[in-house]
């Protein structure tokens, strides 16, 4: 089955610790994205990558870092510099062609205590 | 500044009736528009899309209308079913080589039996 896998589904971390969220896709998609969802805020773009070894900041990149060493993988690190890290994080991918939809993973709920 | 706006946080309709979800945008360069449906603690799933060169796209019970002059699109669901109850997100892309999606804040649709 092709799809996007995010792991883990729930993650708890202590304040001040960095944490890395995993996102893997086997759809052979070129483009991958990380979004954050907060209550009443919709989905806000953190980082996106249109091709391997290249990525761009989204609207709320501060306190986050990413890498795109492989086409299938786009891990997101939430650093201690992120002031409000508790949120629902969504990874997505798309073929990377004009006018195509993005497919989303099931999300990771990160809670920082 | 929010480029994609969903001004109704919630909408309640009776089963069998029409649901109309609205979305406005401010960036005239948006080229492609999408609607996603999202259940709590899950990733969004793609519903339907429309290119800026069209004014209507239909897929079963779902129809999206685009009014470029008004920078407005709407999603019609006919007939509405209780399983349609979810948060609906409107999204837009600039097209060309820019694939990133800009989302609205979402509208919670409740379909009452």
């Amino acid at each position: 089955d092709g799809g996007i896998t995010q792991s883990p589904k729930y993650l708890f971390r202590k304040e001040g610790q960095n944490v890395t969220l995993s996102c893997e896709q086997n759809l052979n998609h070129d483009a991958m994205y990380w979004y954050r969802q907060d209550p009443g805020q919709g989905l806000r773009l953190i980082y996106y990558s249109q091709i391997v070894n290249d990525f761009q900041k989204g609207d709320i990149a501060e306190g986050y870092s990413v890498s795109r060493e492989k086409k299938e993988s786009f891990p997101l690190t939430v650093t201690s510099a992120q002031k409000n890290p508790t949120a629902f994080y969504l990874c997505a991918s798309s073929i990377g062609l004009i006018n195509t939809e993005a497919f989303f993973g099931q999300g990771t709920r990160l809670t920082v205590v | 500044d929010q480029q994609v706006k969903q001004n109704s946080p919630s909408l309640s309709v009776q089963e069998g009736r029409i649901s109309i979800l609205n979305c406005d945008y401010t960036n005239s360069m948006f080229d492609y528009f999408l609607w996603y449906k999202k259940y709590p603690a899950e990733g969004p799933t793609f519903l339907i899309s429309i290119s800026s060169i069209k004014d209507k796209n239909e897929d079963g019970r779902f129809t999206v209308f685009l009014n470029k002059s008004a920078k407005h699109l709407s999603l019609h669901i006919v007939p509405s079913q209780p399983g349609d109850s979810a948060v609906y997100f409107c999204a837009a892309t600039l097209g060309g080589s820019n694939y990133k999606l800009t989302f609205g804040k979402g509208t919670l649709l409740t379909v009452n039996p």
Side-chain angles (χ1 to χ4, degrees), chain B:
Chain B
D1 66 329
Q2 200 176 6
Q3 298 186 66
V4 177
K5 301 177 184 179
Q6 293 177 258
N7 293 320
S8 298
S10 62
L11 174 67
S12 183
V13 300
Q14 285 299 119
E15 181 178 6
R17 306 294 289 268
I18 184 171
S19 295
I20 300 176
L21 297 108
N22 293 304
C23 179
D24 297 294
Y25 61 96
T26 58
N27 190 338
S28 58
M29 299 302 291
F30 282 140
D31 194 49
Y32 189 61
F33 303 89
L34 308 92
W35 285 94
Y36 282 83
K37 174 181 177 180
K38 186 182 181 302
Y39 294 114
E42 293 186 8
T45 55
F46 170 73
L47 266 181
I48 192 169
S49 62
I50 188 167
S51 167
S52 61
I53 63 173
K54 295 185 175 181
D55 55 18
K56 177 182 175 181
N57 189 26
E58 192 171 353
D59 184 2
R61 296 186 298 114
F62 302 91
T63 303
V64 57
F65 296 92
L66 175 63
N67 182 334
K68 284 190 67 177
S69 61
K71 296 192 180 69
H72 176 83
L73 64 155
S74 60
L75 174 68
H76 292 211
I77 306 173
V78 182
S80 300
Q81 301 173 353
D84 296 330
S85 297
V87 176
Y88 289 78
F89 289 100
C90 171
T93 76
L94 294 172
S97 61
N98 189 326
Y99 316 128
K100 71 170 189 173
L101 292 167
T102 300
F103 282 86
K105 292 187 176 183
T107 296
L108 173 62
L109 173 65
T110 303
V111 181
N112 301 303

Side-chain angles (χ1 to χ4, degrees), chain A residues 4 23 25 27-35 47-52 54-55 68 70-74 91-98 100-104, chain B residues 97-101:
Chain A
I4 302 174
C23 178
Q25 55 97 1
L27 299 167
N28 200 32
H29 285 174
D30 283 316
M32 296 187 75
Y33 317 81
W34 273 105
Y35 288 88
Y47 267 98
Y48 65 105
S49 168
Q50 298 186 171
I51 197 168
V52 175
D54 184 55
F55 49 83
R68 187 81 188 280
K70 298 187 300 181
K71 188 175 186 178
E72 304 80 22
S73 179
F74 191 42
C91 179
S93 70
S94 67
I95 292 174
L97 297 175
I98 295 173
T100 56
E101 67 269 24
F103 295 87
F104 283 81
Chain B
S97 61
N98 189 326
Y99 316 128
K100 71 170 189 173
L101 292 167

Side-chain angles (χ1 to χ4, degrees), chain A residues 3-57:
Chain A
I4 302 174
T5 302
Q6 289 187 242
S7 60
K9 189 165 178 67
Y10 298 97
L11 190 56
F12 294 87
R13 279 293 180 270
K14 290 184 178 179
E15 193 172 344
Q17 289 182 336
N18 291 359
V19 60
T20 298
L21 281 60
S22 169
C23 178
E24 303 279 332
Q25 55 97 1
N26 59 6
L27 299 167
N28 200 32
H29 285 174
D30 283 316
M32 296 187 75
Y33 317 81
W34 273 105
Y35 288 88
R36 167 180 172 146
Q37 185 187 16
D38 296 281
Q41 290 292 326
L43 277 65
R44 294 183 291 169
L45 182 65
I46 304 172
Y47 267 98
Y48 65 105
S49 168
Q50 298 186 171
I51 197 168
V52 175
N53 292 322
D54 184 55
F55 49 83
Q56 308 293 329
K57 291 183 179 180

